[in-house]
Amino acid sequence: ANKTGRAMWMNFHCDHTLGNIPDWCSQDGNSWRMAEDHHDNWSDTIQVINNLKFLAKFGRPHRWNDPDFLMTGGAGCDKNVTGLRCPGQTNVEYMTTFSLWAMAAAPLIVSTDVRNWTPFMKSVLLNKEIIAVDQDPLGIAGGLVANWTCNAPVGSCQVWARPLSDGSYAAAMFNANDDTHSITTQWSVIPGAGWDATTSVEVRDLWAHKDLGAFTGSYSATIPAHGTVMVQLR
């Protein structure tokens, strides 16, 4: 029983299968671990993403999918040297992790030491526009809405989306492949938007902090291996 008089936050570590979690997790928990532990390497990160992309239906206000800690910038090394880092992933991969955690409305819990963070770490972890997507008060989690073949195996070129409280939408184009690809977000795949090939939509790049203009029917971006372009659509 809670005798402190303060609200409690229940986080479970649930048994899970690909794209599913037990009913009791989302019914009784405020958040739940939905994959294995997330370590600082791409093979772990992509395993978490491959499950997270299917779990949007479980996320809602006060009920969140928890993909585990962010490893942005790399953990400390096995040496007693202040500020020394041994990153296990590329900057592109760290940006992808932050993007997709935000798209999923996941808790943003930083595992790396921010007392000696690098300029890159600061630019990622304090990106106000992407944090705003993660923390959007509508609280509807996003996930996979389209898979394009893009001359690569199915699942390589992904589009994620979620609605936001101001009536706009966030979309992420994620290249899971080991080569650079062009990925297109067609307006017709954005759930609930009611857009089609004739709709003109204003696009803002949330990493570049730049308005890109109006695009009719779709928006395309060339994305490096394991990279993500995240945009706001209105």
Side-chain angles (χ1 to χ4, degrees):
N2 178 18
K3 297 181 180 180
T4 67
R6 294 177 295 181
M8 296 178 65
W9 187 271
M10 294 292 291
N11 180 281
F12 297 131
H13 200 310
C14 302
D15 294 330
H16 58 273
T17 55
L18 185 63
N20 198 26
I21 58 170
D23 290 340
W24 61 267
C25 284
S26 61
Q27 292 171 358
D28 300 328
N30 297 113
S31 58
W32 49 86
R33 290 281 308 283
M34 38 55 62
E36 302 301 324
D37 290 348
H38 180 218
H39 298 286
D40 190 17
N41 59 76
W42 180 248
S43 61
D44 265 24
T45 298
I46 193 62
Q47 285 183 5
V48 174
I49 291 170
N50 281 339
N51 201 26
L52 184 63
K53 66 186 179 185
F54 295 124
L55 299 179
K57 61 185 178 183
F58 297 105
R60 59 198 187 279
H62 310 293
R63 299 287 188 271
W64 310 114
N65 292 296
D66 179 5
D68 202 11
F69 298 143
L70 292 162
M71 298 294 175
T72 312
C77 305
D78 294 329
K79 299 177 182 178
N80 189 22
V81 179
T82 301
L84 183 65
R85 298 187 179 281
C86 293
Q89 300 181 76
T90 67
N91 288 353
V92 166
E93 290 165 349
Y94 290 129
M95 292 168 70
T96 282
T97 304
F98 200 69
S99 298
L100 299 184
W101 266 228
M103 289 298 299
L108 302 179
I109 305 173
V110 182
S111 181
T112 49
D113 188 348
V114 299
R115 295 172 298 177
N116 302 106
W117 59 4
T118 64
F120 167 75
M121 292 173 64
K122 188 174 182 179
S123 71
V124 172
L125 297 174
L126 295 185
N127 186 319
K128 293 182 179 180
E129 295 191 74
I130 291 181
I131 292 172
V133 171
D134 179 78
Q135 301 289 301
D136 185 77
L138 188 61
I140 296 179
L144 182 71
V145 297
N147 261 324
W148 307 127
T149 55
C150 62
N151 297 316
V154 174
S156 295
C157 296
Q158 303 178 16
V159 177
W160 297 35
R162 62 177 290 192
L164 302 176
S165 57
D166 65 356
S168 67
Y169 293 82
M173 291 165 281
F174 167 47
N175 178 9
N177 195 253
D178 294 334
D179 297 307
T180 297
H181 289 285
S182 177
I183 302 179
T184 298
T185 297
Q186 296 179 349
W187 300 157
S188 59
V189 306
I190 305 298
W195 298 338
D196 59 26
T198 67
T199 307
S200 179
V201 173
E202 295 285 339
V203 178
R204 179 172 177 82
D205 188 318
L206 300 184
W207 280 112
H209 307 293
K210 181 179 180 181
D211 292 324
L212 303 179
F215 294 80
T216 300
S218 65
Y219 173 73
S220 299
T222 300
I223 304 173
H226 306 170
T228 298
V229 168
M230 190 165 166
V231 294
Q232 187 170 9
L233 310 173
R234 63 174 76 246

